[in-house]
Amino acid sequence: MAAANCLPSEDQFLCSICLDVFTDPVTTSCGHNFCKNCITEHWNTNDQYLCPMCNKVFDTKPELEVNTSLSEMVAQFRQSAQQKASSSSSEQQVSKPGEVPCDVCTGTKLKALKSCLVCLVSYCETHLEPHLTTSGLKRHQLIDPVENLEGRMCTKHDKPLELFCKTDQTCVCMLCSVLDHNMHDVVPLKEEYEGKKVELGKTEAEIQQMIQKRRLKVQEIKHSVDLSEEDADREIAEGVQVFTSLKESVERGLNELINTIKEKQKTTEKQAEAFIKELKQEISELMKRSTEVEQLSRSEDHLHLLQSVQSLNIQQPPPTKDWTEVSIRPSSYEGTVEKAVVQLEETLSKEMKKLLPESELKRVQQYAVDVTLDPDTASHQLILSDDGKQVNHGDVDPGKDEKGLSGNKERFSLIECVLGKQSFSSGRFYFEVQVKGKTEWDLGVARESINRNELITLSPEDGYWTILLRNGNEYYAAAKPSVLLSLKSPPQKVGVFVDYEEGLVSFYDVDAAALIYSFTGCSFTEKLFPFFCPDCNDGGRNSAPLIISPVRVN
């Protein structure tokens, strides 16, 4: 029994014909073991009865009996092998989709641990063991499990693809490098692999940067959608407010029209009722006299009739009104509706003027930006506050030395102007400037490429979109030709709004919530900068500064 527990190796239980574990093992007289079916088939297909192992020839076909002892050992070996395989299978992982399965496993495929480039087979841990223990198999080249092992072999020479031809940019085997690519630049796969790894690393970094940029663009687009949604909600709310007010005005106008017509109708009805009442009274008196006359005319008493006629003057009718010229003329409603519509139009116009400018200003104020003055662009005659929010003219003599500042291409050298630090090349932006106390000023936006070292003409054609004040009460839109603006009152604070994509520059009287002027249909292709010109001090009459004010949405 002790000998039975020390099981021989698997090789001792392999049939030399089928190379598998014995099934019904038999032993020939020469001492060699075979599966009963294997040796029988072998002899049936050959002219001689010889042993496949030692080639001993038998004169007659031997009678074969199953070797009972060997059969028991084979059965014990099979059971032990199955237990070992079952235990190993439980420890190993079953192949999942995307993983390389073992090519040897039957039934449930286990995950391959290695692939052999010689056998072109992938093995799980159990079936890999011969490659780790058998001397002949140890020389085989094992790699991490891969699919399509045939694709790793040279189709021409049936050798592993171990080299890379840089000349032809293809993988080759050792024979290829000697025969077909002997004059080419051939390097080991690992060397080319390392180089490609570096290149792939750079490519991956570039792709990650592209991904990041696109993620940022997604966020930007989402933010734009959110802003658009906010704009839409705000416009809807303002629209509801405006149209509700207009609807109420229309309803009031309709009610007033109906009441006016009804009042006229009531007056007509009252007049008619008074006439009818008076007519009915006269009819009653006349009917009474008619009855008296009729009764008297039937009297047979001569004396009584004559006396009654004389005493009562009965032949004369009772006093009545002359109704010949009396009539009820229907009330005239002609022009009533037209008059009401005209009045409604006036009311709606007032409501529109009251509601829409304020609503529009609130809308553009949502795009307020923080603007500060750029001292590097300011004319040497200007004085800027430390916080960059105020600018006024310093009353410097233009003929004096400009301290070498005129050579600066960024600085205005011949006019009293300054730009904002902030530039805009897309979207919408809005800022407000206090102009209180000034008699002259220019405000707006300018494109980046304007020439700041020459006398300028303020116009869109020259890169300026501005409005200006002259002589204390004359307001202009700086175009070609200039547009004289008619304002109800001088603005104390001016709002500047730009929609870059729409090509729109608008100016607002902030306190009056009124639109001053709009440049429309503009084509912007460069950065735009806020533009400020406080103009000359004018002996103190125009000394007040231009002040960039914080935007407060009411």
Side-chain angles (χ1 to χ4, degrees):
M1 293 296 296
N5 290 332
C6 299
L7 293 176
S9 67
E10 182 180 1
D11 293 342
Q12 293 178 292
F13 297 112
L14 298 180
C15 172
S16 60
I17 297 176
C18 66
L19 301 179
D20 202 351
V21 179
F22 290 124
T23 302
D24 297 333
V26 295
T27 305
T28 62
S29 59
C30 57
H32 296 115
N33 301 312
F34 306 95
C35 296
K36 185 176 183 179
N37 285 339
C38 291
I39 189 63
T40 300
E41 289 292 328
H42 177 73
W43 284 340
N44 288 339
T45 56
N46 287 277
D47 297 335
Q48 291 181 315
Y49 304 117
L50 52 81
C51 174
M53 292 293 292
C54 63
N55 292 325
K56 179 181 179 180
V57 178
F58 302 100
D59 295 334
T60 60
K61 184 178 180 180
E63 292 291 334
L64 299 174
E65 299 293 337
V66 175
N67 187 328
T68 306
S69 299
L70 181 58
S71 182
E72 291 177 355
M73 294 178 66
V74 168
Q76 188 176 1
F77 174 79
R78 285 182 183 276
Q79 182 179 3
S80 176
Q82 288 175 354
Q83 290 176 351
K84 182 179 178 182
S86 175
S87 174
S88 177
S89 297
S90 63
E91 294 175 359
Q92 297 183 62
Q93 296 181 356
V94 176
S95 176
K96 299 177 182 178
E99 295 179 337
V100 179
C102 175
D103 293 324
V104 182
C105 287
T106 58
T108 302
K109 294 282 189 180
L110 298 181
K111 178 182 178 181
L113 189 64
K114 291 289 182 180
S115 295
C116 178
L117 291 178
V118 178
C119 303
L120 298 182
V121 175
S122 296
Y123 299 100
C124 64
E125 182 178 357
T126 300
H127 294 115
L128 180 65
E129 186 175 354
H131 278 75
L132 304 177
T133 57
T134 304
S135 59
L137 297 178
K138 283 182 180 180
R139 292 193 294 270
H140 289 191
Q141 184 177 354
L142 298 177
I143 61 172
D144 289 336
V146 294
E147 293 183 323
N148 188 27
L149 283 167
E150 291 80 2
R152 294 176 172 268
M153 302 296 291
C154 176
T155 56
K156 187 173 183 180
H157 304 111
D158 199 24
K159 297 291 183 181
L161 299 172
E162 301 175 307
L163 304 172
F164 184 81
C165 176
K166 286 189 161 189
T167 305
D168 293 340
Q169 290 292 299
T170 185
C171 297
V172 297
C173 68
M174 292 295 294
L175 287 177
C176 287
S177 67
V178 176
L179 300 176
D180 303 328
H181 300 261
N182 61 324
M183 299 299 292
H184 293 180
D185 184 7
V186 178
V187 296
L189 279 182
K190 185 176 181 181
E191 179 180 328
E192 184 67 17
Y193 164 84
E194 295 295 340
K196 292 297 183 185
K197 284 269 287 188
V198 173
E199 291 179 10
L200 290 175
K202 294 179 180 179
T203 301
E204 183 181 5
E206 293 174 357
I207 292 174
Q208 288 299 323
Q209 288 182 352
M210 294 172 67
I211 291 173
Q212 185 62 23
K213 287 181 179 179
R214 279 150 183 78
R215 284 176 175 167
L216 292 174
K217 180 58 69 173
V218 168
Q219 294 177 359
E220 178 185 330
I221 292 172
K222 286 183 177 179
H223 181 63
S224 298
V225 172
D226 291 340
L227 291 178
S228 177
E229 185 177 2
E230 291 175 5
D231 288 347
D233 292 340
R234 185 166 51 252
E235 288 296 319
I236 289 172
E238 292 175 356
V240 169
Q241 178 186 356
V242 170
F243 278 90
T244 299
S245 177
L246 297 179
K247 179 181 176 183
E248 291 173 353
S249 298
V250 171
E251 289 176 348
R252 283 196 301 270
L254 177 60
N255 290 334
E256 290 174 2
L257 172 64
I258 293 172
N259 291 335
T260 298
I261 294 174
K262 286 185 176 181
E263 286 297 325
K264 286 186 176 182
Q265 179 62 17
K266 284 181 180 179
T267 301
T268 301
E269 290 176 355
K270 286 181 180 180
Q271 185 181 22
E273 288 174 359
F275 287 160
I276 291 171
K277 182 179 180 181
E278 190 175 354
L279 285 168
K280 285 183 177 181
Q281 183 66 34
E282 290 186 359
I283 290 171
S284 177
E285 293 294 330
L286 290 171
M287 290 180 67
K288 181 179 178 182
R289 179 61 59 88
S290 175
T291 300
E292 291 175 351
V293 170
E294 182 183 0
Q295 289 177 353
L296 188 59
S297 65
R298 293 176 182 177
S299 176
E300 298 294 335
D301 188 343
H302 303 159
L303 179 62
H304 173 68
L305 185 146
L306 293 173
Q307 290 178 341
S308 296
V309 170
Q310 292 178 356
S311 62
L312 298 175
N313 196 18
I314 199 168
Q315 289 180 302
Q316 296 294 326
T320 57
K321 182 177 180 179
D322 184 5
W323 291 94
T324 306
E325 302 296 330
V326 176
S327 65
I328 295 295
R329 295 182 180 178
S331 298
S332 175
Y333 302 110
E334 185 178 354
T336 304
V337 175
E338 288 80 1
K339 182 179 179 182
V341 170
V342 171
Q343 186 175 355
L344 177 61
E345 287 179 346
E346 293 177 355
T347 303
L348 293 180
S349 179
K350 291 178 182 178
E351 290 292 330
M352 293 282 283
K353 289 180 180 179
K354 182 171 65 177
L355 293 172
L356 289 182
E358 180 181 1
S359 172
E360 174 68 14
L361 180 60
K362 285 183 179 180
R363 184 184 70 82
V364 301
Q365 285 178 326
Q366 302 299 319
Y367 301 99
V369 294
D370 184 19
V371 174
T372 52
L373 302 171
D374 185 358
D376 291 337
T377 65
S379 165
H380 72 286
Q381 298 168 299
L382 299 182
I383 300 174
L384 276 59
S385 61
D386 292 338
D387 62 0
K389 296 295 184 181
Q390 299 186 31
V391 57
N392 64 317
H393 189 268
D395 215 11
V396 178
D397 183 357
K400 291 185 178 180
D401 179 25
E402 297 185 2
K403 301 177 182 179
L405 299 177
S406 59
N408 183 356
K409 293 183 179 180
E410 301 297 318
R411 188 181 305 280
F412 289 97
S413 60
L414 299 179
I415 56 172
E416 305 82 10
C417 302
V418 61
L419 299 178
K421 284 185 179 180
Q422 295 73 20
S423 64
F424 305 90
S425 56
S426 64
R428 302 164 181 167
F429 63 94
Y430 173 86
F431 59 94
E432 293 178 354
V433 182
Q434 180 179 306
V435 296
K436 182 179 180 181
K438 296 192 67 60
T439 58
E440 294 191 354
W441 49 258
D442 306 344
L443 279 178
V445 293
R447 67 187 178 208
E448 184 177 26
S449 63
I450 54 174
N451 191 329
R452 306 171 195 183
N453 290 289
E454 65 179 10
L455 291 174
I456 63 174
T457 301
L458 295 179
S459 70
E461 291 78 4
D462 295 302
Y464 299 87
W465 292 265
T466 61
I467 62 171
L468 49 93
L469 168 65
R470 293 291 182 266
N471 303 321
N473 59 3
E474 297 175 2
Y475 295 89
Y476 297 91
K480 287 184 179 179
S482 297
V483 179
L484 179 63
L485 305 176
S486 178
L487 306 182
K488 291 184 177 180
S489 59
Q492 303 298 301
K493 187 183 293 184
V494 175
V496 182
F497 172 71
V498 176
D499 188 328
Y500 195 96
E501 282 72 23
E502 288 295 324
L504 173 69
V505 182
S506 296
F507 300 87
Y508 295 87
D509 181 338
V510 176
D511 296 326
L515 177 66
I516 297 175
Y517 185 78
S518 288
F519 291 95
T520 59
C522 309
S523 178
F524 301 129
T525 58
E526 302 178 21
K527 293 180 180 179
L528 296 180
F529 290 83
F531 174 82
F532 309 85
C533 182
D535 278 302
C536 295
N537 188 293
D538 195 19
R541 286 184 292 274
N542 191 35
S543 61
L546 291 176
I547 303 175
I548 301 173
S549 305
V551 177
R552 294 183 175 87
V553 181
N554 297 327

